[in-house]
Every structure is written in C-alpha cells, then in structure tokens.
Amino acid sequence: MSILLSTWSRNVQSVPANYVFPEDKRPGGDITAPVINHGVSEELMDETINVFKDFFNMPAEDKAMHYSKDGTTGFRHYTSGLGVELGYFGDELSKLHELAAHHYPPYPDPSLLLGFGGHTDTNLLTLLQQNMYGLQIFKDGQWLGVEPIPHAFVINICDQLEVISNGKLKSARHRVVMNTNVARTSLATFISPSLESIIEHERALVSASEPQLFKSFRFKEYRDTYIANLREPKGASPAQEAYKL
C-alpha cells in the first residue's frame, strides 16, 4: 500500500527522468471557460471536494478500503441547439456515471512534467470541478490554461458526442499541468453510454452537403480500441480515428 502515489508524493522533490516531458510538450498560456449558475449548491461543492482532500491525506491502508467500482445512475440531457429531440441522450446513451477524484502533488519545477498528458475522453460528457489551476485545453494549435472559478464546472465535450453530432461538436483535447506550492484536487464526473449501446450519428445531422463522418459501433468496442492504443502518441484520439469513414 505504501506505493500509492498520493502517499509517496507528499514530500516529493524530484521525479524519475522518464517522467520529464520534452520541451515542446510542456505548459503554455491561459484562458478562462467556466460554467456557472448550474444549480449545484456552493456548500455541496465545497463539502465534496473537501471529502476527497481528506481522502488523499489518509494513510495508504485506509484509502484502500474506500475504492468504489460502481458509478451508474440515471441522467437527463437537454439538447436544444443541436437539432435533436428533447431527451435524445436519456436512458442508454447516458446510463453510466463514473466519479474520479484526481490528486496532483506540488513539484519544485512543474515546467518539466505533466500531471496528465494530452488526450480526449472516450465518454459522452465530462463535468469537472477543480480547486486549483492545472487544466489546459488544445485550441488553435496551442495549449491554453483554464483558470478555475470558485463553484464553477468545466464541461468537456467528449468522443461519443462528436460522433453523434457528426462532427458538429468537437471532443476537447486536454491535459493537466503541475504547480509549485499547492496540491491540486479535481473531481471529474464521466457520463457515458451503456457498454452495449450502438453509437452512431443522429440522422437529422447528416445531409448531402454534410456527409456521415463516422462508422457505427458498440461503445464497448470503442473503449477496447482506446485501451489497446493507450501507448500511441496523443494527438487525435486513436480510437476515434479507427472509426472515421
């Protein structure tokens, strides 16, 4: 249990050389993109992130008792603006909910490494709550930082929504940078289709002038393809590329 990263990292002063990123893949500039007035109380958001801060400060043997394997609940999506019917993403297309708490310790020289390398998410939507700066998105050929605003969520469009929208919505490529003085805790809620869901473009979004961009597939197949290509260079999603027409 002593090898848990959140335990080992409390007094870290250096990392192995193979964790240091090449200069052309290190941190860049800043941009702000908050979502506010979302209806979640400030008290609930504060309490939730404090629970996970406490968790990462627990002894390793106590942490191991609290891992969860099931994050499935119901969810309703509103789809005005995309051109599909209200409730289109209900039921199977948003069946799985997975909550992930990420802990990034401070590091004396954060310019040398990344907390998480550039990638897109395989799911439908990701809701992110962050208490410290660290998130960056890739836009117009450069990495731009997303400064945290208290009690705001960042909403990431993910791979499945790009496929369903026939490319009208783009999956957000993003990464995490480190900081010098303070540990960063973030909470991500991943909303995904059921594993057996058939993912395909919404027919109303395809026309002679806007042809179909992706083949249909089962979500489980997509995830398996993604996992099989985890070591590939992270540009466009290797899984998404595999299903392009």
Side-chain angles (χ1 to χ4, degrees):
M1 290 303 174
S2 60
I3 63 172
L4 285 173
L5 178 60
S6 56
T7 302
W8 165 81
S9 62
R10 288 177 185 171
N11 298 308
V12 65
Q13 295 298 317
S14 63
V15 295
N18 61 314
Y19 278 74
V20 176
F21 277 71
E23 290 187 15
D24 62 344
K25 295 183 179 179
R26 295 178 188 173
D30 296 333
I31 190 172
T32 299
V35 175
I36 58 175
N37 299 325
H38 42 65
V40 181
S41 72
E42 295 182 1
E43 292 78 11
L44 178 59
M45 295 183 73
D46 290 339
E47 289 173 6
T48 302
I49 207 160
N50 285 336
V51 164
F52 284 100
K53 284 182 181 179
D54 291 342
F55 169 80
F56 286 115
N57 285 323
M58 292 169 62
E61 59 272 16
D62 292 340
K63 291 178 193 173
M65 298 171 60
H66 293 276
Y67 292 119
S68 174
K69 296 181 180 179
D70 186 6
T72 62
T73 60
F75 194 84
R76 185 181 184 189
H77 294 274
Y78 294 88
T79 57
S80 60
L82 185 57
V84 300
E85 294 181 358
L86 181 67
Y88 179 89
F89 292 101
D91 300 326
E92 296 301 309
L93 284 180
S94 59
K95 186 173 185 179
L96 302 181
H97 289 192
E98 301 164 290
L99 176 65
H102 296 123
H103 178 76
Y104 304 94
Y107 181 68
D109 189 355
S111 67
L112 295 179
L113 72 166
L114 293 171
F116 210 118
H119 66 288
T120 61
D121 293 341
T122 63
N123 46 296
L124 187 76
L125 281 177
T126 299
L127 283 68
L128 178 71
Q129 179 183 354
Q130 56 174 349
N131 69 328
M132 297 292 298
Y133 172 73
L135 177 67
Q136 292 186 337
I137 60 172
F138 192 72
K139 185 178 185 297
D140 298 330
Q142 61 181 325
W143 288 101
L144 302 173
V146 181
E147 289 287 351
I149 291 180
H151 308 116
F153 287 109
V154 175
I155 311 297
N156 276 351
I157 294 168
C158 305
D159 291 357
Q160 306 314 304
L161 193 50
E162 180 169 349
V163 173
I164 292 168
S165 71
N166 200 44
K168 288 180 171 58
L169 301 175
K170 302 298 184 183
S171 188
R173 187 179 172 203
H174 56 286
R175 69 181 187 180
V176 177
V177 299
M178 308 289 280
N179 69 71
T180 304
N181 299 315
V182 183
R184 176 180 181 266
T185 300
S186 68
L187 304 180
T189 300
F190 301 103
I191 301 170
S192 304
S194 66
L195 293 179
E196 297 303 318
S197 288
I198 301 299
I199 308 300
E200 59 185 355
H201 64 278
E202 162 53 34
R203 287 172 173 76
L205 302 178
V206 171
S207 65
S209 60
E210 297 179 305
Q212 178 182 346
L213 298 180
F214 299 94
K215 296 179 284 188
S216 301
F217 52 82
R218 280 193 311 149
F219 182 54
K220 182 181 185 302
E221 295 172 355
Y222 189 94
R223 274 199 168 179
D224 290 346
T225 302
Y226 180 87
I227 291 170
N229 289 277
L230 279 178
R231 295 186 180 275
E232 294 297 318
K234 297 297 188 296
S237 167
Q240 197 176 69
E241 291 294 312
Y243 292 100
K244 279 188 175 179
L245 292 173

